[in-house]
Amino acid sequence: MDVQQLLNGLFIGSIYALFAIGFTLVFGVLDRLNLAHPAVFTVAAFVGIELVEVGGLSIWAALPVVFVVGGLLGLVIERVAFRPLKGRPDAHFAGLISSIALAGMFIALLQWRYGPDTKRFPAESFPDTTYTILGAQVTGVQVAILLITIVLAVGLHLLVGRTRLGRGMRATAENPTAARVVGIDVDRVSATTLAISSALGAVAGALFAMNVNSAQLGMGSAIELKGLAVIVVGGMGSLPGALVGGLLLGLAEVFTVQYIGSSWRDLVAFGLLFLILVARPQGLFGTRKVREV
Amino acid sequence: MRTRIIGTTAAITLTLTVAACGSGDDGAGSGDGALVGEGSGADCQIDTAVPVGAALSLTGGAASYGESQRNGLELAVADLNEQGGVTYELAVEDDQTDPRQGITVFESFVGDNTSIIIGPTLSNGAFQAQPIAQEAGVPVLAISNTASGITEQGDYIFRDSLTEAQVIPQTIALAAETYDLEQVVVMYSNDDAFTESGYEVFASSLEEEGVEVSDTLTFSVSDTDFRPLLTEALAAEPDALVVSGLIEAAIPLVTQARDLGIDVPIIGGNGFNNPQLMTDAGAAAEGVVVGAAWNSTSDIPENVEFLAAYEEEFGRAPDQFAAQAYAAMTIIDVAVRHNCSGERDDIQDGLNNIVDLPTVLGSLTINDDRDAEHEAVVQVVQDGAFAVLG
């Protein structure tokens, strides 16, 4: 097995994971698919570049700001795309569409602000270190990406499992009406969930732009389907599932390139999605939902 | 009642007659349409501004090209209008890098008496939109399409952009000689007409030069993570990477290749021919070889003037797309003056008579296939700028 390819898969997979964790969190807690998530991913990359290029921040100082900006966008998404529709019988579908509409507006604003050109972080803003691990080349940025993903994933896991807010999220996920009865502010939980989700998606966007040295208006739609594949493979709503699913997809891609052929990359990646849907519809880590009567 | 019917009939007949004159069927320079002027060549005087339509990708994947093209066209039209005699009214519409939208834009140009249509930006869109103009007898001048078969769509379709088939063989021949290439890895995005046709020319040119292709790797136009592919390429220990891709892919591809320790020359197609490569890929762009239809360092007077005017107007250096757009208006102006008419058929006739015309691209001739012929240049990135290779 080629060490370089293993690492390639690991790094791109961890970005898929970070993107998908936010994506799946909203689904798990609120039972909504937020299709504005890929737009947040894109906006964050451009904001990160602006902070470094114009704001003069270092990359490491820019990332927390990107995290916060992502959180704010999450609040906007909740207010604009989801809250006005809650309680409607078609809230699932309407939310899906209104989040797509909002995503379109985000991208249009981005285009208005930055124009159509590909943007990148200024060249000298990266620590120009390259490590050689077992003959493979790894950049400092890639190591950072892996560490940041692990820290954020573990942090989120603890937040959901160990805190009061996490309990509120779990209760809302279980049954929003019952949660409201026992005194949980479901609106606040919804807003916080979308904020956290978008903050994670935003960091993923900035890291992705650093990793590939390119931020484009279309970058969100390019990763959107992969993100959906990851959460289906991992299990809709499952955080560990999204982590493992992301890494799995990243590795599946690179090994398809190595052993089958580069043209087959997406075929294999999305073939995996079908295979899981047929063989294990609840995903690797999901639990089968029993329809309540 | 009776008078009204007669009046209406007369009006309809009159309209039809005017329309028939307007379509220019009556041949060169003899009609009384508003777009037919007096005099010839430099002395030609047309009172009405000649409407020129451009369908460009101002948003979507190819938007960075479209923007350059719009700049080039606007600059050229401003220059020509200042010279006087013949003036142009330029309408630029966005095809959103979407062939369907391109069709809509073409339809509206065909419908509103536009004399000539420029564009669309990508070959993909051109293949679908051009038949509409061909059918309606509206001349089209393609300014950036390099796929083969563009002008084969009909006798109203012209192009001023050299095809990949014209530029790439020169590039490969010179690179093979300069770098003593024996075996290379080829990479291309296989979901785009332009890059795929570029790949085919690369493959046949490499074969002609006796360079072995040890691996062929494909990617998608929207891809930005090339590390898995480049790792494969690295394992083959090539003398060079040969890549057919658009600039959006070129920048991350080149950066990541250097990150992985690939330090051989990277030979690109027309998509790489963009100053953005050096701005955005920085030091990683060093050693990138690109064949080009436009020699940015050429010191012919047309080019020197163009460089200065563009820089002053837009605050940055033009790219090949801007140069080809600018040249298009030079060509159109000469074609219009040929019959001193802005009628569609007269312009078509004029375009067929472009021989050794001095333009920013060099001395340009439209050949029997309605394709442009002029000299190409092979460039290499050195110290952050394109230099002529060899």
Side-chain angles (χ1 to χ4, degrees), chain B residues 61-367:
Chain B
S64 57
Y65 306 123
E67 198 186 50
S68 287
Q69 294 178 321
R70 180 174 58 186
N71 290 348
L73 289 178
E74 283 177 353
L75 188 65
V77 167
D79 286 355
L80 291 170
N81 286 354
E82 204 169 292
Q83 282 173 26
V86 183
T87 55
Y88 297 91
E89 191 184 310
L90 177 69
V92 180
E93 294 293 337
D94 183 11
D95 75 5
Q96 300 169 358
T97 320
D98 176 1
R100 282 166 304 181
Q101 186 62 25
I103 290 172
T104 311
V105 172
F106 262 58
E107 278 170 347
S108 82
F109 282 144
V110 165
D112 67 5
N113 294 324
T114 299
S115 291
I116 179 165
I117 305 175
I118 293 171
T121 301
L122 294 189
S123 301
N124 256 351
F127 281 120
Q128 308 206 25
Q130 283 174 176
I132 293 160
Q134 172 65 31
E135 214 160 279
V138 183
V140 173
L141 182 56
I143 54 173
S144 54
N145 304 330
T146 50
S148 53
I150 290 285
T151 52
E152 285 164 26
Q153 292 203 317
D155 57 351
Y156 282 86
I157 314 297
F158 297 81
R159 124 167 97 186
D160 83 344
S161 40
L162 289 186
T163 61
E164 296 278 81
Q166 289 168 294
V167 177
I168 286 174
Q170 291 190 44
T171 313
I172 290 296
L174 189 59
E177 185 194 317
T178 314
Y179 298 109
D180 207 9
L181 302 181
E182 280 174 16
Q183 58 117 357
V184 297
V185 168
V186 178
M187 296 173 73
Y188 74 104
S189 58
N190 61 352
D191 52 354
D192 174 81
F194 158 70
T195 51
E196 172 130 37
S197 110
Y199 157 73
E200 279 156 13
V201 187
F202 268 129
S204 66
S205 307
L206 287 165
E207 197 183 322
E208 206 154 285
E209 295 297 323
V211 181
E212 187 200 338
V213 175
S214 49
D215 205 350
T216 301
L217 303 166
T218 61
F219 53 93
S220 153
V221 268
S222 59
D223 277 353
T224 43
D225 180 28
F226 298 102
R227 289 193 171 88
L229 300 179
L230 291 165
T231 303
E232 279 298 283
L234 184 62
E237 296 179 1
D239 298 326
L241 289 186
V242 174
V243 185
S244 179
L246 299 175
I247 189 68
E248 283 74 19
I251 291 164
L253 191 147
V254 165
T255 321
Q256 291 165 28
R258 302 308 190 211
D259 270 353
L260 285 169
I262 298 176
D263 50 14
V264 294
I266 299 176
I267 302 168
N270 201 17
F272 278 54
N273 186 24
N274 189 323
Q276 216 189 332
L277 183 70
M278 286 81 89
T279 331
D280 282 5
E286 295 290 305
V288 169
V289 176
V290 189
W294 173 59
N295 180 357
S296 59
T297 61
S298 155
D299 56 4
I300 55 171
E302 290 80 14
N303 195 47
V304 174
E305 264 171 50
F306 168 64
L307 287 174
Y310 193 97
E311 178 89 43
E312 192 189 318
E313 184 72 29
F314 303 106
R316 58 176 154 146
D319 58 12
Q320 179 182 303
F321 293 88
Q324 286 172 328
Y326 189 92
M329 285 310 302
T330 311
I331 294 166
I332 290 172
D333 187 50
V334 172
V336 167
R337 287 171 186 276
H338 182 77
N339 292 315
C340 196
S341 162
E343 301 292 341
R344 291 170 171 177
D345 286 347
D346 293 333
I347 296 183
Q348 182 212 20
D349 178 51
L351 286 170
N352 278 315
N353 284 291
I354 300 286
V355 181
D356 295 332
L357 174 68
T359 69
V360 293
L361 305 172
S363 174
L364 185 147
T365 298
I366 302 274
N367 66 20

Side-chain angles (χ1 to χ4, degrees), chain A residues 56-77:
Chain A
L57 295 186
S58 81
I59 279 196
W60 314 121
L63 279 176
V65 183
V66 164
F67 185 84
V68 172
V69 170
L72 293 174
L73 285 175
L75 294 178
V76 172
I77 294 168

